[in-house]
Amino acid sequence: NDASALQYTGEVMRDDEDFVLQALHANPAALPYAVEELRSNRDFLLLAILKDADVFQHIDEKLARDPEFNLAALRHNDEVLDHILKELWSDQAFVLSAVQLHGAALSWASESLLSDREFVLAAVKRNGSAFQHVNASWQRDAEIVLTAAEQKAEMLRYAAEELRQCRDFVLSLVQRNGAALAYAPGRLRHDREVVLAAARNNSVALAYAAEPLNSSRDLLLSTLELNPHAFSSVPRKLQGDRDFALAAVERNSEVLCYVPQAFQQDRSFVRAAVERNGDALRFADQPFLYDRELVLAAVQSDGTALRYVGEAMRCDKEFVLAALRMNSSALPYVADELWREREFLLMVVRSNHSALHYAGEDLRLDHGFVLDALRANPEVLTSIPGELWCDTDFVLQAAEANSNAIAHAPEDLRRDRNFMIVVVQRSGHALRCASPALRADAEVVLAAVHRHGEALHHASEELRHSRDFVLSAVRLNGAALAYAAWELRSDRAV
């Protein structure tokens, strides 16, 4: 009944924190009668304020003017807002810090601050809920409203009516915070584009769409394609619709995580799902990852699905070959162990030259193996490591196996006359890859024609029109006649 009664108690009791806390709870005005040590103890005062904000009215004037202590008190009890000194509400830094703690603090800010657009924008950036305390003029400011409602969707309720009715503004907002759809006008909750934009980043936004949009299969599937979590907001009847669930998984494999458990455990459903979208295997129950037939169906749809199966299956040569026959994009997910096996790699290279990229380094740089691979698949040329093309022995053997190989040799080799003579002696067709100067060199061309008469086709125009040269060529290989100049093919002596 009388706060001053505390001063008449013994010093031991006035120094007892628990006792004084009880006394302050009974009457906050008793604080000035506590011992000095407690009246200046910040931790004690904050504990007292936590129990009763009115204690703040009786603190020492120095603390009452201390911004940091005021903010600490506000963290403990937001009812302190009623007791903070007016002078602090003109301090921009203090008010922004207070607003960050409690949006309602903005309503105590000085009129000059509330009239300052940059300050108000900074305040709602700190705490979107502060928007409900701004002046009416700022409720029409698109940037301020957007900043606030992006954090707190319900702030759209406090925006000026012209902004709430503006389709472009609401569309921009729901793209950032889909939950704002709940506070949009009814006509915009009927707008397909607005609803889809909202559902893209907030799975529950569908619940705020108006009929019949919230049950439109087309819109729901478009939403799930962007946001699989939205499946939980799909009408229950459609959640249990097998065809709808499969169509949703086809759009977004992650939807498999959200379909009814009965579907997740149903092999025929999962099989149908991975046939439509192989990536769905990533979200299938563990037992299905060991189902060879089901995994192959997934790989056929999407080669990358091979990455989701166990190591043992990715090391199974027969299974992996079957998978690669179905979809070569599974190549990167074959177990490393298999890429070190010569016979396995050759089998794969026959149908896919890029498999050479995945071979172990020992095999990729093995002349014999790479040449075998080249003989098995001419397209391997584009996958041969660059360092092999600097080896003249390898280039000679590669050109013999495939005349196009010389095109991949370094430019300086293809200009080397002695080297190219050796090359065309092994494969006349390699003349096509020689430098223009060498294709006009009679000795080089004759060496090529001797091996393959058709090589004359790659000789320079000058040589193909030279009667003496063509006579020399056809004496070496009669097949060269077909590639001589037209007038020489009518020459009886030639």
Side-chain angles (χ1 to χ4, degrees):
N1 293 327
D2 184 355
S4 65
L6 183 61
Q7 66 183 312
Y8 303 117
T9 63
E11 188 171 345
V12 173
M13 294 183 70
R14 287 190 297 119
D15 195 35
D16 184 315
E17 288 190 15
D18 291 336
F19 173 76
V20 176
L21 280 173
Q22 292 180 53
L24 294 177
H25 186 60
N27 191 337
L31 180 60
Y33 305 105
V35 297
E36 171 62 25
E37 185 179 348
L38 290 182
R39 283 188 285 120
S40 59
N41 185 324
R42 292 186 176 224
D43 292 337
F44 170 77
L45 291 174
L46 290 173
L47 186 57
I49 290 169
L50 176 64
K51 293 178 178 293
D52 192 331
D54 287 340
V55 171
F56 191 87
Q57 298 180 75
H58 306 285
I59 63 174
D60 177 82
E61 184 179 354
K62 184 179 178 181
L63 284 177
R65 296 177 184 279
D66 183 336
E68 289 188 13
F69 183 77
N70 277 260
L71 291 171
L74 189 53
R75 289 188 192 94
H76 283 72
N77 192 330
D78 59 5
E79 292 180 12
V80 165
L81 285 169
D82 293 322
H83 309 304
I84 293 175
L85 294 177
K86 185 178 180 180
E87 64 189 63
L88 287 177
W89 293 117
S90 297
D91 182 329
Q92 179 170 318
F94 172 79
V95 178
L96 287 176
S97 296
V99 165
Q100 191 164 356
L101 295 173
H102 296 286
L106 188 62
S107 62
W108 272 269
S110 66
E111 191 56 40
S112 63
L113 287 180
L114 289 173
S115 301
D116 183 332
R117 183 183 184 278
E118 293 308 312
F119 167 78
V120 173
L121 182 58
V124 297
K125 281 181 179 177
R126 296 279 186 103
N127 191 333
S129 63
F131 178 72
Q132 57 193 297
H133 305 288
V134 303
N135 293 341
S137 59
W138 305 129
Q139 294 172 356
R140 293 189 292 274
D141 188 305
E143 185 182 4
I144 290 176
V145 177
L146 197 62
T147 301
E150 185 178 355
Q151 300 175 50
K152 302 282 186 181
E154 60 271 25
M155 291 301 106
L156 183 59
R157 291 188 299 182
Y158 303 97
E161 189 61 20
E162 60 261 35
L163 274 184
R164 292 185 68 249
Q165 294 292 340
C166 177
R167 182 183 184 276
D168 289 344
F169 173 78
V170 173
L171 179 59
S172 178
L173 173 57
V174 298
Q175 286 172 341
R176 304 180 187 202
N177 186 347
L181 185 65
Y183 306 97
R187 70 180 184 85
L188 294 180
R189 287 188 281 114
H190 279 87
D191 187 308
R192 187 181 189 280
E193 185 181 359
V194 172
V195 172
L196 188 58
R200 177 180 298 179
N201 64 48
N202 190 311
S203 60
V204 301
L206 282 174
Y208 308 128
E211 288 283 358
L213 278 183
N214 60 4
S215 57
S216 163
R217 292 174 72 102
D218 178 51
L219 181 130
L220 292 172
L221 288 172
S222 296
T223 299
L224 293 169
E225 184 173 357
L226 301 169
N227 186 352
H229 310 287
F231 194 85
S232 58
S233 299
V234 168
R236 193 167 296 278
K237 183 178 179 181
L238 281 178
Q239 288 187 21
D241 183 316
R242 188 177 190 275
D243 290 338
F244 176 80
L246 283 173
V249 173
E250 184 175 2
R251 298 279 192 100
N252 190 323
S253 59
E254 194 177 348
V255 170
L256 187 59
C257 296
Y258 303 99
V259 301
Q261 192 171 24
F263 287 162
Q264 294 180 20
Q265 297 175 346
D266 181 340
R267 184 183 184 279
S268 65
F269 178 88
V270 177
R271 168 69 188 265
V274 299
E275 285 177 345
R276 296 184 178 205
N277 187 342
D279 189 63
L281 187 68
R282 170 163 49 134
F283 304 103
D285 285 351
Q286 196 69 16
F288 294 127
L289 301 183
Y290 298 94
D291 184 321
R292 294 170 70 96
E293 184 183 350
L294 191 147
V295 171
L296 284 175
V299 171
Q300 185 169 15
S301 169
D302 182 351
T304 66
L306 186 63
R307 77 175 97 175
Y308 305 121
V309 305
E311 184 74 9
M313 195 173 286
R314 290 191 298 114
C315 286
D316 184 319
K317 192 181 303 184
E318 181 182 348
F319 170 79
V320 172
L321 286 171
L324 293 176
R325 280 195 294 272
M326 289 182 166
N327 196 329
S328 61
S329 62
L331 278 171
Y333 310 103
V334 174
D336 291 342
E337 176 183 320
L338 289 181
W339 292 129
R340 292 190 287 270
E341 290 192 20
R342 186 186 186 97
E343 294 308 315
F344 169 81
L345 191 51
L346 280 175
M347 283 191 282
V348 177
V349 162
R350 285 191 182 96
S351 57
N352 194 318
H353 67 89
S354 60
L356 187 61
H357 291 301
Y358 302 97
E361 188 172 359
D362 289 348
L363 284 178
R364 283 195 307 114
L365 299 178
D366 182 308
H367 288 199
F369 171 76
V370 175
L371 290 169
D372 285 345
L374 181 57
R375 295 183 188 101
N377 186 342
E379 293 182 356
V380 162
L381 279 174
T382 59
S383 301
I384 294 174
E387 50 263 57
L388 289 184
W389 293 116
C390 296
D391 185 311
T392 54
D393 289 339
F394 173 79
V395 175
L396 287 171
Q397 294 179 73
E400 193 170 0
N402 186 321
S403 61
N404 291 321
I406 196 64
H408 298 270
E411 183 68 25
D412 58 336
L413 274 183
R414 289 187 285 126
R415 288 199 302 264
D416 185 319
R417 186 175 186 276
N418 293 331
F419 175 76
M420 285 304 298
I421 287 177
V422 176
V423 170
V424 297
Q425 284 174 341
R426 298 189 179 196
S427 175
H429 297 300
L431 182 65
R432 73 166 73 92
C433 303
S435 67
L438 294 181
R439 285 188 280 117
D441 184 310
E443 185 180 352
V444 174
V445 175
L446 287 176
V449 168
H450 191 204
R451 183 80 177 93
H452 291 115
E454 299 91 337
L456 185 60
H457 178 63
H458 306 295
S460 66
E461 281 296 307
E462 184 181 352
L463 288 181
R464 292 175 60 240
H465 282 82
S466 168
R467 186 173 186 275
D468 291 341
F469 176 79
V470 172
L471 277 170
S472 298
V474 296
R475 286 190 183 107
L476 290 174
N477 193 325
L481 180 62
Y483 300 96
W486 179 256
E487 66 272 16
L488 293 179
R489 280 183 272 163
S490 303
D491 186 311
R492 182 181 183 84
V494 173

